[in-house]
Amino acid sequence: MKKLEILSWIVGLLGFALVVTGVALFSIPLGCIIAGILLLAYARLADKAAAAMPAKPEKI
């Protein structure tokens, strides 16, 4: 992975953690709901990114 890709993952996870923590300060159950929604959205984004990558040829 390139440095920019790694930095993107780190910043995305940090942003996720900060949003969930901020919501959890108001309400723990709401923080859990927001965490689940954001994890689903992040998983969908990662799936689309993986699908857009060209397939590597297999070595025999």
Side-chain angles (χ1 to χ4, degrees):
M1 294 181 97
K2 296 180 183 178
K3 289 182 183 179
L4 185 59
E5 292 172 351
I6 294 171
L7 184 63
S8 173
W9 275 96
I10 292 171
V11 170
L13 292 175
L14 180 64
F16 168 78
L18 289 173
V19 168
V20 171
T21 302
V23 173
L25 287 174
F26 290 109
S27 171
I28 300 293
L30 186 59
C32 291
I33 292 169
I34 296 296
I37 291 171
L38 289 177
L39 282 174
L40 286 172
Y42 205 68
R44 182 178 170 152
L45 180 68
D47 185 47
K48 282 189 174 187
M53 293 178 61
K56 294 182 181 179
E58 294 184 19
K59 293 182 181 180
I60 299 176

